[in-house]
Every structure is written in C-alpha cells, then in structure tokens.
Amino acid sequence: MPQATDVAAVKAYLMDLQERICAALEAADGGARFSADSWERPGGGGGRSRIIENGAVLEKGGVGFSHVFGDGMPPSATAHRPELAGRRFQAMGVSLVMHPDNPHIPTSHANVRFFIAEKEGADPVWWFGGGFDLTPYYGNEDDCVHWHRVARDACAPFGAEVYPRFKQWCDEYFFLKHRNEARGIGGLFFDDLNDWGFERSFEFLRAIGDAYLAAYLPIIERRRGMPFSAEQKTFQEYRRGRYVEFNLVWDRGTLFGLQTGGRTESILMSLPPTVRWGYDWQPEPGSAEARLVEEFLPPRDWLEGVN
C-alpha cells in the first residue's frame, strides 16, 4: 500500500524555512534587509521572492519560495519521465543563492523541493530533491572541509552511504561540460527521492534544508573582515561568469521554471549583480586565482582523514 503524502506539511515547512533563512542572513549581514515580492502564476500557483541587495556582506541574494500547479507537464519533465504525461502536477520548493561582496566569501546555493503528479485511478508519482553547494573564488581548505562536514553529518542518520552518493551526484551535476570544469567545490545533490517512503524522505529533506545555515554562516564570519583588492574583485566577476553559464545552459530547475511559465524575475534572481567575460582570459600561473581552478575545483574527498 503506497504511503500517504502530506502536501500541506511540505508547504508549511518550506515557507517556514524561507523565513528562518532570511532572518538568519539578515542578522549575519548586519546592514540590508530582505524585500518581499509575492507573485501569481497565470497557469496556477505562485510564490514569494525575498531579495537582499547592497548589504554589508551580501552584494545580492535571493531566497525564493514557489508553489506552482497545472494540468499538464512541460517538456523538461516528460522527456525523461513519459509516465507523467497527462497528469496534473504540483511543484513546490525553496531555492536560494547568496552572492557576497567580498571575494573571500564563497557564493552559496541551496534548494529543497517536492513534486507530485496525480491522475484519477492511478497512484500519485512524487519525489523530493535538493541539496546545497559552495562556489569559492579563493580556495580555503578550512571552509571546504567545514562545508562538507556539515553535509556529511546531515546525511549520517540516513545511512553511511548517503553522503558519498549525493556528494558524487553534486560533483557530476554542477559541472560545466562546455568548460570541462566544476562550478565549485560541491556539497550535496539529490533528485527523484521516493524509495524511502514519504515520511523518511520528507525527514531527509528537512535535514538538508536545516543544515544550510550551519554550513554557510561560520564561513561568512571567518571571511567577512578579510581585505580584498580591485584585482580580486575582477577575478570574482570572471568566476561569476561561470555561474551564469551553468544556470542558463545546464540547470534543470531554470529550464523547468521557464517552461512552466514561471515568473522570470524569480527564476533568474540567482544571477549575480556584476559579471565579466574576457576573451580567453586566464589567471596568472602559480597565482591564488590559478590555484582555485587547479587545486580546488577538481572533485576530491574533502573529508579524507577528518572525523
């Protein structure tokens, strides 16, 4: 007998998560506040975008909640799941990206989401997905180890194999194939999670959603006072270009949002405020900028020998 799903409980958790994350990041920034922008989707549903800009720490950040529904699935969903064709669907989630001003503080991204497709006379098709990942501009081993330790500890109650499996999935997903380069130093990524049953899967989603602040806030505090130069800011903008490339070319969530008629401003709120491309630009050999690409971005086990 299929386990009952509690869509209302998922929605309540996601809306509360958005509020908690915004409050904590406002406190960490100490300057700017999040604005709130509610929107409706003509095809069904809507959401609430929370945006912070020009803060003491955060140059731009967005924490969005959305709950959209409709009678038909977009091509991005049915291409790989033909059994979803002809079903009405609901998709809800919280997605966030933080772009700090200081290049020594990494950009962070997190997302937790739930999807359900239903049709009369058939069992619902549902799953959870999400994760979080870190995109540094200047590599720091302590930050990378801390980020992955929090990820591992969040996964630990669900089995020793969960962290390495979802860590590898993250490394493979956040990869710019056209550059043959990782977007950052990874974290966790999972999708189509339903084989644990609804209650256990929902519990895992909450563990990942709740772990984001524990992973990111200590890094902000360690790096916020570090001085940086105009040249380092320029390098940050070059690397932000890679972030934009991934989101617009490869990210499935972006494609799903655009193909379902989602609100473009909210879908693209993850893009950084300033970005730079230079023809065949390369960092100086042996520099800290070169070390990022050569030593930090290639996937590795950040917790080898770490308790």
Side-chain angles (χ1 to χ4, degrees):
M1 179 103 181
Q3 200 172 30
T5 57
D6 190 343
V7 177
V10 177
K11 183 173 182 177
Y13 167 75
L14 292 171
M15 294 183 73
D16 178 66
L17 179 67
Q18 182 190 38
E19 290 298 322
R20 288 189 286 117
I21 288 176
C22 288
L25 289 171
E26 278 184 351
D29 184 89
R33 309 272 297 179
F34 279 90
S35 63
D37 184 15
S38 296
W39 53 275
E40 293 185 3
R41 173 178 172 268
R48 181 176 53 186
S49 299
R50 303 285 306 277
I51 305 296
I52 192 169
E53 294 181 289
N54 303 314
V57 172
L58 299 169
E59 189 172 2
K60 181 189 174 191
V63 185
F65 164 78
S66 63
H67 176 204
V68 301
F69 46 86
D71 293 328
M73 301 295 301
S76 63
T78 58
H80 301 293
R81 302 288 295 262
E83 74 274 19
L84 299 179
R87 288 175 177 255
R88 61 187 182 275
F89 76 95
Q90 295 186 68
M92 63 183 72
V94 168
S95 182
L96 69 92
V97 177
M98 292 296 130
H99 292 291
D101 180 45
N102 191 323
H104 296 292
I105 305 176
T107 283
S108 68
H109 162 256
N111 173 265
V112 283
R113 58 190 179 274
F114 175 68
F115 178 91
I116 184 167
E118 297 172 284
K119 182 169 67 173
E120 284 199 32
D123 292 333
V125 177
W126 60 266
W127 63 80
F128 291 95
F132 50 72
D133 62 283
L134 195 70
T135 304
Y137 303 99
Y138 287 89
N140 187 289
E141 295 245 357
D142 291 343
D143 293 349
C144 299
V145 170
H146 165 76
W147 183 263
H148 279 274
R149 181 189 282 120
V150 172
R152 179 198 64 189
D153 292 349
C155 295
F158 300 88
E161 78 288 350
V162 174
Y163 165 72
R165 178 157 59 101
F166 291 166
K167 188 264 188 195
Q168 181 179 350
W169 200 346
C170 186
D171 289 337
E172 293 171 353
Y173 181 76
F174 291 104
F175 190 82
L176 288 83
K177 300 179 182 69
H178 63 288
R179 298 278 190 184
N180 194 32
E181 181 180 284
R183 185 172 86 172
I185 59 97
L188 299 170
F189 180 85
F190 65 99
D191 206 0
D192 303 327
L193 179 67
N194 59 17
D195 50 348
W196 295 343
F198 179 82
E199 290 298 334
R200 187 67 166 163
S201 300
F202 184 24
E203 185 182 350
F204 181 73
L205 183 89
R206 298 196 300 271
I208 301 310
D210 294 346
Y212 166 75
L213 290 172
Y216 195 45
L217 292 181
I219 296 175
I220 290 178
E221 291 309 309
R222 283 200 292 259
R223 307 296 161 213
R224 64 186 300 158
M226 293 181 67
F228 60 91
S229 65
E231 291 76 17
Q232 289 172 323
K233 189 69 178 173
T234 295
F235 179 68
Q236 179 195 53
E237 292 176 340
Y238 276 118
R239 294 304 311 174
R240 282 174 171 178
R242 299 291 204 264
Y243 204 93
V244 171
E245 290 175 23
F246 180 85
N247 278 29
L248 295 184
V249 176
W250 299 108
D251 189 73
R252 283 162 46 186
T254 300
L255 296 175
F256 179 84
L258 294 174
Q259 290 180 358
T260 53
R263 183 170 181 263
T264 301
E265 283 299 307
S266 298
I267 295 166
L268 300 182
M269 72 179 184
S270 62
L271 301 183
T274 60
V275 66
R276 183 185 301 258
W277 280 274
Y279 182 75
D280 199 28
W281 184 88
Q282 301 292 335
E284 195 71 31
S287 64
E289 291 80 8
R291 283 189 64 224
L292 173 79
V293 178
E294 295 165 3
E295 299 178 25
F296 283 83
L297 295 187
R300 60 190 265 198
D301 179 4
W302 290 101
L303 299 181
E304 187 176 8
V306 175
N307 291 325

